[in-house]
Amino acid sequence: MLPELSAAFGVTQGTAATSLTAYLLPFAVVMLVSGTLGARWGPVRTIRLAYLGYVLVAALAALAPWFWLFQASRGLQGVANAFTTPLLLTKLAEITPRQRLGRSLGTFGAMQAIGQTSAPLVGGIAAESSWRWAFAGIAAVAAVLAASPLPPDHGRSAEVARLRDAWRRDVLWYGLVVFLAWACLAGLPFLVAFRLEDLFALSPGMRGLVLTAFGFAGFTTARLVGAASDRFGPRLAVTAGLLLGAVAIGSIGLTASLPVVAAAWALAGVCGQLILVGINTLVLGGGTQGRSGAISVVTALRFLGMSASPAVFTGLYHAGPSLAFLVAAAVLVPPVALAVIRPPSQDPA
């Protein structure tokens, strides 16, 4: 809906595209501390308040008459949403037996994948009438989620939720793995779109259809990936995801076959699930102290890695299309050592 935003507010499409940054940057930065703060305030109460806040700021976006106000509403949406994902993951870990945690996290990842895959389609359909309906729709969805049932919180002392418990060396160790993985894997749909246009001259609709392969493959295999993580261990899942992901991304840069590009991008979606389920299992399955804060930090680093991709790889692509994909593939290999080797310390940094 960026062209429609551009026309509605009388700004360039490049300026309209900054609404993505306006959302993602506060979302990722606040998530560095949102898990700890949410655990301190009470996870269920914090989740509900976050959804209610999202209702208000999404409605503000739908009604905004000026672009600066729309931008402010996008930033506030990012802040509100930063308090949902890490706390929902923590609640899921609380109610799931350790031996089935990977499978449950796989289901969670499947829901995220199908949401991310369908969002552009839903937004585009809404924009056929008015882009404002998209934000009215997510305000309504957030209202329903705010009223939805959640497992009750167990009584905990506020002293348990300390920021330093989340910023442990092992958490940052795993966070570095997922930062690099998301920068060089899930953060590359724009690069794949460039490749599809340059090599095959596909229309925007056809490019979008090929790009959905990442999320669709992640959705259909998520529970299988979770079961594999439970059976063979999360470290092996992360290792397989990184190595196969390097093969998939490298293949996109080297092939001139559309079916191979589509299949490789679908494989990348499966690899993303392997890495995500494995890392989340390692973080959430390591005990209860600081768990909300720890998964919050790791999730924030994941989205920061994703947001860094355009700045890092666009210039490389213009220098040489194959070079950009091969560099991304090469960067995925060293984190294998981080995934396999035990973190240097489990103590607070």
Side-chain angles (χ1 to χ4, degrees):
M1 66 180 73
L2 292 178
E4 286 74 22
L5 287 173
S6 172
F9 289 113
V11 299
T12 67
Q13 289 197 24
T15 301
T18 62
S19 61
L20 299 172
T21 304
Y23 174 86
L24 284 172
L25 188 59
F27 175 64
V29 171
V30 173
M31 202 183 291
L32 291 170
V33 297
S34 62
T36 299
L37 294 176
R40 188 177 296 173
W41 300 335
V44 169
R45 177 172 57 182
T46 302
I47 291 168
R48 294 199 191 285
L49 288 174
Y51 280 133
L52 289 173
Y54 205 97
V55 171
L56 296 176
V57 294
L60 178 62
L63 299 172
W66 308 292
F67 187 66
W68 68 263
L69 186 59
F70 176 79
Q71 289 284 71
S73 72
R74 290 293 284 156
L76 292 172
Q77 287 172 51
V79 171
N81 205 20
F83 286 91
T84 58
T85 297
L87 294 173
L88 288 169
L89 281 168
T90 304
K91 296 299 294 182
L92 182 64
E94 286 179 358
I95 63 174
T96 304
R98 177 64 180 83
Q99 64 272 19
R100 293 181 59 85
L101 183 56
R103 198 167 304 173
S104 295
L105 291 173
T107 302
F108 188 95
M111 296 300 101
Q112 282 191 315
I114 201 65
Q116 291 168 347
T117 300
S118 62
L121 175 62
V122 174
I125 291 172
E128 292 288 342
S129 173
S130 171
W131 62 266
R132 297 182 186 274
W133 284 115
F135 290 95
I138 59 175
V141 170
V144 172
L145 292 172
S148 298
L150 287 167
D153 292 333
H154 302 295
R156 283 193 196 142
S157 168
E159 287 128 26
V160 172
R162 299 176 301 178
L163 288 173
R164 68 172 186 166
D165 290 333
W167 289 84
R168 303 190 309 268
R169 292 187 182 91
D170 59 311
V171 173
L172 298 178
W173 187 271
Y174 296 134
L176 177 59
V177 174
V178 82
F179 175 89
L180 294 172
W182 247 240
C184 299
L185 194 65
L188 297 184
F190 74 97
L191 207 63
V192 178
F194 288 162
R195 190 70 166 159
L196 292 170
E197 182 179 16
D198 292 343
L199 274 184
F200 311 111
L202 296 185
S203 67
M206 288 303 297
R207 292 198 302 270
L209 183 61
V210 174
L211 289 176
T212 61
F214 185 98
F216 183 76
F219 169 71
T220 54
T221 61
R223 277 191 65 83
L224 181 62
V225 164
S229 176
D230 288 333
R231 181 173 181 180
F232 300 108
R235 294 183 190 278
L236 184 58
V238 176
T239 299
L242 289 168
L243 293 177
L244 289 174
V247 172
I249 296 302
S251 298
I252 295 173
L254 294 174
T255 186
S257 166
L258 179 57
V260 173
V261 170
W265 188 234
L267 175 60
V270 178
C271 295
Q273 285 294 346
L274 281 164
I275 296 165
L276 186 58
V277 169
I279 291 292
N280 285 346
T281 301
L282 287 166
V283 174
L284 291 169
T288 59
Q289 187 174 19
R291 186 158 56 178
S292 293
I295 196 63
S296 183
V297 169
V298 169
T299 305
L301 289 170
R302 172 162 64 101
F303 283 103
L304 285 171
M306 190 173 184
S307 65
S309 291
V312 174
F313 291 109
T314 300
L316 282 174
Y317 183 86
H318 291 313
S322 296
L323 177 65
F325 288 99
L326 292 175
V327 169
V331 172
L332 287 171
V333 176
V336 170
L338 295 176
V340 173
I341 300 171
R342 186 178 179 84
S345 174
Q346 302 293 326
D347 300 325

